[in-house]
């Protein structure tokens, strides 16, 4: 069902300038369109944050810029361009590499939102005279007790609050999220109705600004691979891995083992990375009990309200983007980290990924998973 958009009194918006992050995708194209319909003074900004342009199919920045320009021309808005590659490298990519080096599986898009889209871009837009920025994220801005809050997007399939949980309330207050009020099919329909060439463009995948690449080849350019053994939980060596960093807890593909005479012919799954011994621990069966944990400890919290909630807190959590909300209780440990205890055991909780907390539609914020265990 398509939600009705709240009618907007466009007469109050005409003296407000909004700069929309135009990626050359359909969501930001329609965001610009909606803001124009709402009477704002709209301009666009295309960011290029990854400088390597090796002419391969992975680098779509040129095509994306052309699409952002075509949509801006169609809407009759000015398109700025900016390059935050230095900020991206220093504040996102180096951290991403350090996390991989430490054997964790980071989520660079969360840091990219915090450091680039809602910091470098926001600051730049304000210098250009913007009252607000806007993005095509499927989230909503709300208000609780007079403070701006981050709410899930209305389209439950597209909600992107998981990726925005590290953005603070002051930045949320300066951002408009026009498509957060809509369902994706309606966004594509609007794009088609208004003749925007991005109406049927495929959704972007891969790491924001770096794109969809052969991940192993890409990472290999920056981090030396350290091959090691693959072992079963009972300590049998059954193969070799190219480097722990290429593997993720719960992962099935890419292990290169199979057809072992002592084991049934079933797929193998990564259960744990033993960093001290550089060993990948695996088991057979995607639902094996060793893949399920009831507790985790997390740190490095970013609360949208910029103050932590009072603990213990009973709420919902996601340990990965594509996951239904899970019931949990959060308690604070004496060292400042928090322990999350789930009602249902969770599959493949992955150190380095974010755990993000919710009260219904309200996104509270989240932290980085250190370790998962059963009690
Ligand atoms: N290169 C870019 N320049 C400016 N803004 C960008 C850029 N990339 C992403 N954004 C902003 O961040 C939002 C979310 O980016 P994401 O990569 O998740 O794309 P998306 O959900 O596929 O959206 P879109 O359809 O607009 O590409 C975009 O809608 C856009 O507002």
């Amino acid at each position: 069902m398509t939600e009705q958009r709240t009618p907007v009194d466009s007469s109050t918006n005409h003296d407000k300038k909004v700069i929309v992050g135009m990626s050359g995708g359909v969501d930001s194209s329609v965001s610009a369109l909606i803001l124009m319909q709402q009477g704002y003074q709209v301009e666009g900004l295309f960011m290029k944050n990854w400088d390597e342009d090796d002419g391969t199919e992975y680098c779509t920045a040129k095509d994306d810029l052309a699409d952002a320009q075509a949509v801006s021309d169609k809407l009759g808005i000015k398109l700025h361009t900016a390059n935050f590659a230095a900020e991206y490298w220093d504040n996102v990519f180096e951290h991403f590499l350090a996390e991989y080096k430490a054997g964790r599986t980071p989520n660079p898009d969360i840091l990219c939102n915090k450091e680039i889209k809602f910091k470098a871009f926001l600051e730049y837009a304000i210098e250009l005279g913007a009252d607000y920025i806007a993005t095509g994220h499927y989230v909503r801005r709300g208000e609780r007790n007079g403070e701006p809050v981050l709410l899930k997007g209305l389209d439950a399939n597209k909600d992107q609050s998981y990726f925005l949980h590290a953005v603070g309330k002051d930045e949320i207050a300066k951002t408009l999220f026009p498509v957060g009020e809509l369902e994706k099919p309606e966004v594509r329909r609007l794009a088609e109705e208004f003749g925007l060439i991005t109406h049927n463009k495929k959704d972007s995948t891969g790491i924001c600004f770096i794109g969809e690449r052969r991940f192993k080849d890409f990472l290999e350019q920056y981090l030396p691979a350290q091959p090691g053994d693959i072992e079963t939980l009972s300590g049998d060596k059954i193969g070799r891995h190219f480097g722990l960093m290429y593997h993720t807890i719960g992962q099935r593909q890419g292990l290169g083992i199979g057809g072992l005479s002592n084991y049934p012919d079933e797929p193998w799954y990564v259960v744990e990375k033993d960093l001290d011994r550089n060993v990948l621990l695996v088991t057979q069966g995607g639902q094996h009990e060793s893949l399920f944990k009831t507790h985790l400890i997390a740190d490095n919290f970013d609360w949208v309200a910029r103050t932590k909630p009072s603990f213990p807190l009973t709420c919902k959590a996601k340990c990965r983007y594509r996951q239904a909300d899970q019931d949990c209780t959060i308690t604070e440990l004496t060292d400042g980290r928090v322990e999350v205890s789930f009602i249902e055991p969770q599959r493949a909780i992955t150190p380095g990924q974010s755990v993000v907390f919710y009260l219904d539609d309200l996104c509270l914020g989240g932290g980085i998973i250190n370790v998962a265990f059963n009690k």
Side-chain angles (χ1 to χ4, degrees), residues 20-31 45-49 64 82 109 113 117-118 121 134-138 158 160 163-164 179 184 188 201-206 208-209:
V20 187
M22 299 283 278
S23 60
V26 66
D27 299 325
S28 46
S29 305
V30 171
S31 299
L45 185 137
F46 178 87
M47 296 180 266
K48 187 168 184 292
N49 298 336
D64 291 337
D109 292 350
N113 281 324
K117 289 179 186 159
F118 295 88
F121 166 39
T135 67
H137 286 109
Y138 285 80
K158 292 295 296 179
Q160 288 175 308
F163 294 113
L164 261 68
V179 301
K184 182 85 186 207
R188 290 207 182 273
K201 189 166 169 178
K202 182 165 130 312
D203 285 353
S204 52
T205 52
C208 188
F209 300 114

Side-chain angles (χ1 to χ4, degrees), residues 132-206:
Y132 297 106
I133 58 167
T135 67
H137 286 109
Y138 285 80
V139 295
R140 290 171 297 147
R141 188 181 73 183
E143 204 184 282
R144 300 278 158 96
N145 306 321
E147 293 281 343
V149 292
L150 178 66
L151 302 174
K152 288 180 181 174
L154 277 186
D155 185 336
N157 277 325
K158 292 295 296 179
D159 167 46
Q160 288 175 308
S161 56
Y162 181 86
F163 294 113
L164 261 68
H165 77 268
V167 177
K169 67 179 166 64
D170 293 344
E171 290 74 30
I172 299 290
K174 291 195 162 39
T175 312
L176 303 174
F177 300 110
V179 301
E181 311 285 338
L182 300 179
E183 305 220 345
K184 182 85 186 207
E186 172 67 356
V187 170
R188 290 207 182 273
R189 195 197 61 72
L190 278 170
E192 189 163 17
E193 182 186 333
F194 286 86
L196 307 181
I197 58 156
T198 48
H199 70 90
N200 59 0
K201 189 166 169 178
K202 182 165 130 312
D203 285 353
S204 52
T205 52

